[in-house]
Amino acid sequence: MTEADLRDSLLHHLKYSLGKDPAHAHIYDWRVALSLAVRDRIVDPWFNATRATYAGQHKRVYYLSMEFLIGRLLEDAIVNLGLLDRSKEVFEELGISFEAVLENEPDAALGNGGLGRLAACFLDSLSTVACPAHGYGIRYEHGLFRQRFVDGRQVEEPETWLSGKHAWEFERPEATFEIGFGGSVVESGDQAVWQPEERVIAAAHDTPIIGWRGKWANTLRLWNAKPTRIFDLERFNRGEYAAAAEPEALARTISRVLYPDDTTEQGKALRLKQEYFFTAASLRDILRRFLTEYDDLRKLPHKVAIQLNDTHPAIAGPELVRLLHDDKGLDFEESVDIARGCLSYTNHTLLPEALERWSEGLMGSLLPRHLRLIERIDDLHARRNPTRKVTAIEHGHVKMGELSFIMAHRINGVSALHTDLMKQTVFSELNRLHPDRIVNETNGVTPRRWLLSCNPALSGLIDKSIGNDWVGHLDRLSELEPHVEDAGFRHEYAEAKKKNKVALAHFVRETEGIMLDPDAMFDIQIKRIHEYKRQHLNILETIALWRAMRENPNAGWTPRVKIFAGKAAPGYIFAKKIIHLINDVARTVNADPATSDLLKVAYLPNYNVTLAERLIPAADLSEQISTAGKEASGTGNMKFALNGALTIGTLDGANVEIRDHVGADNFFLFGMTAPEVIERRAVDEHARKAIEASPELAGAIADIESGVFSPGEPDRYADVVENLRWSDYFLVCSDFASYYDKQREVDGVYLDQERWMRMAALNTARTGWFSSDRTIRGYMQDVWSAHSVPIGS
Ligand code: 26Q
């Protein structure tokens, strides 16, 4: 496609799809017109991919996920199609800011955090490696809430990503299924008929996902909930207008909004309805597609791999059994075995409060047939494995982790450490029964979005040094290693980082009115707010540093900028307190003339994918400071390292593997290990003892307690302090001294910029393994038995 072709297509869509004259077009119109022009380029590779899959009868992968945190799509698609330069030129000629056009796109936040973003990276990689695949999820009308601060407190507002035209998707009015809830089951012998009481329609919307170099495209199919009857005309005619619209409102509630909690909001009926709604629609679609090609359902595991992204779609086990046994008449045991042959399950957390469980009461009233099938699945499992009794149903609850394990032929953790802990803790009994089922697939991130697009300064330097093959083969970043010894290269590497920091400083000045010195160390912690992620450890260290700086302003301090971003679940009171505290500390520290050249703190509101794309390339230091054993993997840690930020972190999740790859000398390790954490918790008054032993920590806590950051309301953080002193389950106090000392070591290294830049460049050169292309190839081999389709065939 030449520049002229692109311009013609753009102007064509502006005129004929949007009905706009260029003279009157807004940025919105240009953005949608460009998206449609780019989308046109995806359609042929998309059709070709589908044709090649049918022609070769290839196995298909189905990725079921409640969340896809996609962010913006336009730049991604442009980059993958190799249209970036031409697009820039077209808009330059038109006299329109290309950047403003990209900025106009809403950020699709159909996910909470890591799990949802991983699903989005996987979509990119599945297309890049030409693995025939579909993503299946919910087309939420409202994604994750928008976050604002009012007097430093988080306020949530609804998010409206669908307010304009959604340029990427194709509505499929013909692809609909009726999904039932409630009602009763009529059983006679081995036969059962479920008669649901309530029905809604699942309607498909497809977004093509183009891979790197535009050769292959897969489909993301998201389901919308609609009523079976639009409205009740009889009631309307009687003048009962609100009541007439009720069925519609009730049905649409199912796809109305993403649950904003990233542990479980236990036991909410609507959540279970959402889970069943999209899982059931997806399975019916999968069976429909299979039966257009094959007639023997026993072949299903050879042609279909279904991945459960955590337990959220775990009802897929019993539902697939129901479809095979009740609907298609297969024998029960055979149905269970076929289902297991197709299904596999990824676990993303070991936190007990995050493991999904549903009361038998709720499950029985919403999904009566499934509850009965789960009992039979348990019985069958017990009969086949009489040595140990492990069941999905226990004490009146259905445990979705156990159910997923029993119904899956592979279960995977998301980092080496996490997979080991899975075997030792939550799934130890099941692992003994089925030692071949648990495998590890360490997470990865897509280098297209998380290096090539978000960091043009650095990717340009990499291209210049080793060519551009690295984008599809991230391992090749290792070819940078010899360049790292070249002072000229390191200088250019430092220049690229500086450029990104200047751009971020500009953004923060414009949006927050805070002035940042681009030569100061940019120290960044961005992720959901959780006690186990320990943002409070970071802010305590910030306070201690500020106090030390005030006490001795001329001690040769390394100037620092502490940047935070992240949302708290609306009902997570403690997390919201931490946000408030960080904002209070920021206000106090930033107003202190004694430290104004040394320390700044900024909490940027409404963290999302787009903001991450601005922050990560500008980071010097990446904060990955979770209590060891609690962070399953982390993926932000990988993005930072790839972009040349050094990590200060614990031996947790994928930090362990990042450190192995970059080398212990290029990683700032601190804190207890996972076994040490367990030991420490058993120590009586561990927190009080740690506070007593660290004057820096004691001073920081005393400042919080005396209202230094909340003048007029000294007890604002009384519960935070109380928790730290007397409970401190996540061992903030016990890890503090080690963290504080390591931060002072970080200060020292930063003063030696030559050394720092060498370490940073080595981080880039040695983290090519963390590409999600590598992760996806691992799943294809170990979990799905799926293969890439030779492109062009
Ligand atoms: C479940 C039921 C009801 C309401 C909400 C939920 C829910 C929603 C989201 C439970 C969990 C999540 C998200 C979990 C998550 O993001 N986990 C992260 O997954 C990443 C990808 O594997 C890891 O890198 C992170 O370590 C892990 O925390």
Side-chain angles (χ1 to χ4, degrees):
M1 188 183 218
T2 65
E3 191 194 320
D5 294 336
L6 182 62
R7 192 190 48 235
D8 290 351
S9 176
L10 174 72
L11 293 171
H12 178 91
H13 278 296
L14 191 69
K15 186 171 175 187
Y16 294 104
S17 304
L18 285 132
K20 275 283 169 103
D21 186 336
H24 301 291
H26 292 174
I27 285 289
Y28 164 82
D29 302 307
W30 288 110
R31 190 261 298 171
V32 175
L34 178 62
S35 304
L36 293 171
V38 171
R39 192 183 72 171
D40 286 350
R41 313 305 307 169
I42 299 179
V43 172
D44 282 318
W46 192 26
F47 287 2
N48 290 340
T50 307
R51 287 189 195 117
T53 307
Y54 273 106
Q57 302 206 315
H58 296 287
K59 187 168 187 177
R60 288 183 168 84
V61 170
Y62 295 103
Y63 199 82
L64 270 57
S65 178
M66 282 286 275
E67 308 195 357
F68 288 92
L69 225 189
I70 334 195
R72 290 174 175 155
L73 278 175
L74 179 54
E75 187 178 4
D76 220 40
I78 288 176
V79 163
N80 279 351
L81 289 165
L83 292 174
L84 189 59
D85 292 338
R86 271 160 280 176
S87 304
K88 283 182 183 163
E89 282 156 20
V90 167
F91 279 94
E92 193 156 314
E93 266 175 39
L94 289 164
I96 294 160
S97 156
F98 178 59
E99 221 166 83
V101 169
L102 295 181
E103 285 289 311
N104 180 265
E105 185 178 2
D107 176 298
L110 309 186
N112 276 286
L115 166 150
R117 183 53 234 176
L118 185 75
C121 284
F122 281 3
L123 291 178
D124 180 275
S125 287
L126 283 161
S127 292
T128 294
V129 308
C131 174
H134 285 72
Y136 275 114
I138 297 178
R139 186 175 180 273
Y140 299 107
E141 195 178 320
H142 304 286
L144 188 62
F145 65 85
R146 292 181 59 84
Q147 176 196 54
R148 277 196 310 133
F149 298 136
V150 174
D151 298 330
R153 289 187 182 85
Q154 169 174 298
V155 173
E156 302 95 25
E157 285 171 353
E159 179 278 350
T160 53
W161 70 296
L162 285 174
S163 59
K165 180 176 168 51
H166 182 29
W168 296 106
E169 74 183 3
F170 295 90
E171 199 178 339
R172 302 294 190 206
E174 80 288 1
T176 58
F177 295 99
E178 245 186 51
I179 308 298
F181 297 98
S184 56
V185 180
V186 182
E187 272 188 80
S188 70
D190 195 37
Q191 290 294 301
V193 182
W194 175 28
Q195 286 158 339
E197 171 189 274
E198 184 196 339
R199 287 166 205 275
V200 297
I201 303 280
H205 295 253
D206 288 349
T207 301
I209 306 287
I210 188 79
W212 171 236
R213 294 206 190 281
K215 296 200 191 98
W216 185 274
N218 286 317
T219 305
L220 172 60
R221 174 161 278 195
L222 300 179
W223 301 103
N224 226 357
K226 298 200 308 188
T228 44
R229 284 196 308 166
I230 280 298
F231 80 137
D232 191 330
L233 189 58
E234 255 173 55
R235 285 180 132 175
F236 185 86
N237 289 339
R238 270 186 269 137
E240 300 165 19
Y241 304 121
E246 218 170 73
E248 155 142 47
L250 266 175
R252 290 199 189 275
T253 302
I254 293 181
S255 55
R256 184 89 69 206
V257 57
L258 167 79
Y259 270 86
D261 198 330
D262 69 344
T263 56
T264 40
E265 222 167 307
Q266 294 292 349
K268 294 273 191 335
L270 179 60
R271 170 79 186 188
L272 182 56
K273 273 186 154 177
Q274 288 186 333
E275 295 184 353
Y276 179 64
F277 165 77
F278 100 95
T279 304
S282 307
L283 287 179
R284 290 233 240 137
D285 203 31
I286 292 166
L287 280 191
R288 175 197 57 75
R289 190 173 297 109
F290 175 85
L291 290 171
T292 61
E293 283 185 88
Y294 313 97
D295 44 23
D296 184 357
L297 282 164
R298 284 168 304 188
K299 280 206 194 113
L300 203 63
H302 301 285
K303 296 297 172 187
V304 166
I306 302 170
Q307 189 66 33
L308 308 180
N309 197 21
D310 215 295
T311 56
H312 315 155
I315 199 69
E319 172 68 2
L320 188 50
V321 172
R322 189 185 73 82
L323 293 172
L324 296 172
H325 178 56
D326 292 0
D327 285 8
K328 304 288 183 193
L330 266 65
D331 166 67
F332 175 74
E333 285 204 30
E334 189 172 34
S335 301
V336 171
D337 291 332
I338 293 173
R340 187 184 306 101
C342 299
L343 293 167
S344 39
Y345 151 56
T346 304
N347 172 281
H348 295 268
T349 184
L350 303 172
L351 298 183
E353 66 272 26
L355 298 173
E356 275 190 295
R357 52 214 294 280
W358 299 101
S359 74
E360 280 191 86
L362 180 60
M363 181 75 80
S365 72
L366 229 46
L367 302 169
R369 179 58 184 151
H370 298 77
L371 181 60
R372 177 74 193 111
L373 286 169
I374 296 168
E375 289 167 357
R376 290 189 65 186
I377 289 167
D378 267 348
D379 287 345
L380 176 64
H381 186 255
R383 255 192 296 126
R384 288 185 180 172
N385 304 281
T387 49
R388 289 165 202 278
K389 184 164 162 55
V390 194
T391 52
I393 301 180
E394 201 180 62
H395 306 311
H397 281 86
V398 185
K399 300 187 290 176
M400 303 309 262
E402 278 74 4
L403 176 63
S404 302
F405 193 117
I406 292 170
M407 286 306 299
H409 69 284
R410 286 286 181 281
I411 295 92
N412 77 284
V414 289
S415 74
L417 175 67
H418 165 67
T419 301
D420 279 347
L421 291 173
M422 262 171 76
K423 291 183 187 169
Q424 288 165 30
T425 61
V426 266
F427 295 126
S428 61
E429 288 293 299
L430 281 165
N431 182 51
R432 264 185 218 121
L433 288 176
H434 310 286
D436 53 333
R437 285 199 197 168
I438 298 186
V439 294
N440 177 245
E441 302 299 339
T442 298
N443 285 166
V445 302
T446 168
R448 272 71 66 185
R449 184 179 293 258
W450 296 110
L451 184 50
L452 180 61
S453 313
C454 75
N455 197 344
L458 179 55
S459 43
L461 173 61
I462 300 174
D463 285 352
K464 202 172 89 177
S465 311
I466 62 170
N468 70 358
D469 232 28
W470 59 272
V471 180
H473 306 272
L474 204 62
D475 280 334
R476 302 229 169 121
L477 287 182
S478 64
E479 291 164 23
L480 287 171
E481 281 231 15
H483 295 265
V484 175
E485 287 315 309
D486 170 4
F489 174 86
R490 289 201 305 274
H491 178 72
E492 287 188 71
Y493 192 96
E495 293 280 290
K497 182 60 78 182
K498 177 76 178 276
K499 188 173 178 201
N500 297 332
K501 290 171 72 177
V502 169
L504 178 60
H506 178 81
F507 174 80
V508 172
R509 177 161 55 85
E510 295 294 296
T511 56
E512 303 300 305
I514 304 174
M515 308 287 270
L516 306 181
D517 170 9
D519 287 321
M521 183 200 307
F522 281 19
D523 166 343
I524 306 188
Q525 187 174 20
I526 45 177
K527 49 184 85 242
R528 283 299 283 259
I529 312 303
H530 253 293
E531 284 163 281
Y532 84 79
K533 294 178 189 280
R534 301 199 293 190
Q535 279 90 358
H536 46 335
L537 175 57
N538 189 347
I539 200 66
L540 282 167
E541 193 270 336
T542 307
I543 297 169
L545 175 61
W546 176 60
R547 288 167 51 88
M549 285 171 163
R550 283 163 60 90
E551 212 158 282
N552 195 356
N554 300 314
W557 295 102
T558 300
R560 268 207 206 224
V561 175
K562 286 265 190 184
I563 297 174
F564 295 84
K567 295 174 182 176
Y572 192 169
I573 305 298
F574 195 89
K576 289 182 141 178
K577 273 269 145 137
I578 294 172
I579 293 180
H580 197 183
L581 175 61
I582 297 172
N583 276 320
D584 273 345
V585 171
R587 186 179 26 76
T588 313
V589 167
N590 295 345
D592 182 358
T595 53
S596 70
D597 294 336
L598 296 177
L599 184 62
K600 286 277 156 61
V601 183
Y603 199 135
L604 306 182
N606 201 38
Y607 180 54
N608 59 15
V609 172
T610 302
L611 185 57
E613 289 168 6
R614 278 184 203 283
L615 289 167
I616 290 167
D620 293 305
L621 189 67
S622 157
E623 299 271 354
Q624 307 300 337
I625 61 178
S626 51
T627 313
K630 294 293 175 193
E631 189 70 270
S633 162
T635 45
N637 48 2
M638 301 167 187
K639 297 166 195 167
F640 277 110
L642 200 53
N643 284 276
L646 302 185
T647 305
I648 183 163
T650 47
L651 273 184
D652 199 15
N655 291 356
V656 178
E657 288 151 271
I658 291 175
R659 180 166 169 270
D660 287 344
H661 276 85
V662 303
D665 294 346
N666 302 302
F667 187 106
F668 297 105
L669 178 70
F670 78 97
M672 289 174 281
T673 61
E676 286 165 356
V677 161
I678 309 280
E679 247 177 67
R680 177 72 187 176
R681 256 192 217 122
V683 173
D684 205 30
E685 298 198 7
H686 52 79
R688 197 185 55 75
K689 287 173 183 158
I691 297 168
E692 235 170 53
S694 164
E696 288 84 7
L697 176 57
I701 293 180
D703 269 6
I704 297 174
E705 239 176 345
S706 64
V708 169
F709 309 106
S710 52
E713 195 190 337
D715 57 0
R716 181 177 293 168
Y717 299 109
D719 38 3
V720 174
V721 170
E722 160 97 9
N723 182 298
L724 280 174
R725 264 195 223 293
W726 303 113
S727 145
D728 196 20
Y729 182 77
F730 295 100
L731 300 166
V732 166
C733 296
S734 298
D735 265 346
F736 181 87
S738 163
Y739 180 57
Y740 187 85
D741 292 347
K742 191 52 71 168
Q743 287 284 24
R744 303 294 71 79
E745 191 184 320
V746 171
D747 281 342
V749 177
Y750 191 79
L751 289 179
D752 181 353
Q753 276 292 299
E754 277 294 313
R755 179 168 169 211
W756 185 279
M757 283 303 154
R758 178 180 280 112
M759 292 168 73
L762 283 175
N763 265 261
T764 301
R766 294 178 178 176
T767 42
W769 189 75
F770 295 94
S771 166
S772 46
D773 299 347
R774 183 269 311 152
T775 312
I776 282 300
R777 291 201 173 92
Y779 278 89
M780 289 170 70
Q781 185 160 60
D782 310 337
V783 180
W784 303 328
S785 305
H787 300 280
S788 296
V789 176
I791 297 177
S793 76

